[in-house]
Amino acid sequence: MSRADTTASILYHRVVVWLLFLILLLPLAGTLLYSLSTSWSATILPDGLTFKWYFELWGEPRFLKAFGQSLLICFSALFLASILILPLLFVVHYHFPRLDGLMNILILLPFAMPPVVSSVGLLQVYGSGPVQLVGTPWILIGCYFTIALPFMYRAITNNLHAINLPDLMDAAHLLGASTWKAAFLVVLPNLRKGLMVSLFLSFSFLFGEFVFANMLVGTRYETLQVYLNNMRNSSGHFNSALVISYFFFVLIFTWAANRLNKDKS
């Protein structure tokens, strides 16, 4: 193949990719434009542009409460996952490396069962009795904790393989550090970027979770996704502003995770 043919082929593929990207971007662009329009019914373009719907959205106490409760649930679940998964991974990879294969299977179990089926089981177990958690944020924190585990396990495991944990620990021991001192002062700083990437990606996924939140707590502890579902019959402009705000918030976290991942590589 000549250089001209290669250049033409590359140009063709780039044009196809950009066309597909623009096609995928059209619904989002339409939603953004609708959220900024004063009215838009029988014309190709809206009659006018305004930020009224965004001001109305971010001045709505119910929305702010749902937004804050979503953040609280996600941050609590990720904090719990972090303080449990880091010691577990250190022990497995340093003391019992043969268990890594078994852990790879066990850690995927939360995705083996559909959320609807899991929710029904949790309703039966925690809906009554001495440990009644349905309708409280605690059951959501537990569910989100299990969902975040696979993301965090894989990201941090890859990080541990990259830093060669046994050799790093041996070097720390030779310098007089104890096992736990080496883990905190040597290993943990080397896992910072892997941990941050896993936290950002997990947060982006958990922040949009709807099934567990709707079935297990609903309006008793309204999260952002439940709020969005409950407001589906309100103004289309208001809902569009809500969707765009949610999209850009998640986009920022996803961009941060990708940026950290590039810096890591």
Side-chain angles (χ1 to χ4, degrees), residues 71-91:
L71 292 178
L72 179 62
I73 291 292
C74 293
F75 288 152
S76 299
L78 292 176
F79 175 76
L80 179 62
S82 298
I83 63 176
L84 290 180
I85 200 70
L86 286 172
L88 173 64
L89 281 172
F90 175 78
V91 170

Side-chain angles (χ1 to χ4, degrees), residues 61-71 207 222-224 227:
R62 183 180 171 189
F63 164 74
L64 295 176
K65 182 180 179 182
F67 186 80
Q69 290 180 161
S70 291
L71 292 178
F207 197 69
E222 194 174 45
T223 62
L224 186 60
Y227 172 80

Side-chain angles (χ1 to χ4, degrees), residues 70 73-74 115-116 119 140 143-144 147 202-217 223-226 246:
S70 291
I73 291 292
C74 293
V116 174
S119 298
L140 273 188
C143 289
Y144 287 5
I147 295 174
S202 300
F203 178 85
S204 299
F205 184 83
L206 295 178
F207 197 69
E209 201 285 322
F210 172 72
V211 177
F212 284 120
N214 188 51
M215 294 189 67
L216 297 178
V217 295
T223 62
L224 186 60
Q225 288 298 315
V226 176
Y246 163 77

Side-chain angles (χ1 to χ4, degrees), residues 47-185:
D47 298 332
L49 299 177
T50 179
F51 285 100
K52 168 190 173 183
W53 309 110
Y54 287 94
F55 289 130
E56 184 177 329
L57 173 67
W58 288 97
E60 171 64 38
R62 183 180 171 189
F63 164 74
L64 295 176
K65 182 180 179 182
F67 186 80
Q69 290 180 161
S70 291
L71 292 178
L72 179 62
I73 291 292
C74 293
F75 288 152
S76 299
L78 292 176
F79 175 76
L80 179 62
S82 298
I83 63 176
L84 290 180
I85 200 70
L86 286 172
L88 173 64
L89 281 172
F90 175 78
V91 170
V92 168
H93 283 268
Y94 185 59
H95 294 287
F96 308 102
R98 293 184 178 179
L99 290 179
D100 187 41
L102 177 62
M103 291 297 298
N104 284 325
I105 297 174
L106 295 177
I107 209 70
L108 293 176
L109 289 180
F111 291 114
M113 189 173 296
V116 174
V117 178
S118 301
S119 298
V120 173
L122 291 170
L123 285 171
Q124 295 293 325
V125 176
Y126 297 108
S128 59
V131 187
Q132 188 171 350
L133 298 178
V134 173
T136 69
W138 304 110
I139 194 167
L140 273 188
I141 292 175
C143 289
Y144 287 5
F145 162 75
T146 60
I147 295 174
L149 283 181
F151 295 101
M152 300 187 67
Y153 183 88
R154 287 310 324 157
I156 300 174
T157 294
N158 293 337
N159 206 166
L160 283 169
H161 287 311
I163 66 174
N164 199 342
L165 179 61
D167 290 347
L168 196 62
M169 291 298 296
D170 290 342
H173 287 154
L174 287 174
L175 294 173
S178 64
T179 299
W180 288 108
K181 187 175 182 179
F184 279 105
L185 299 180

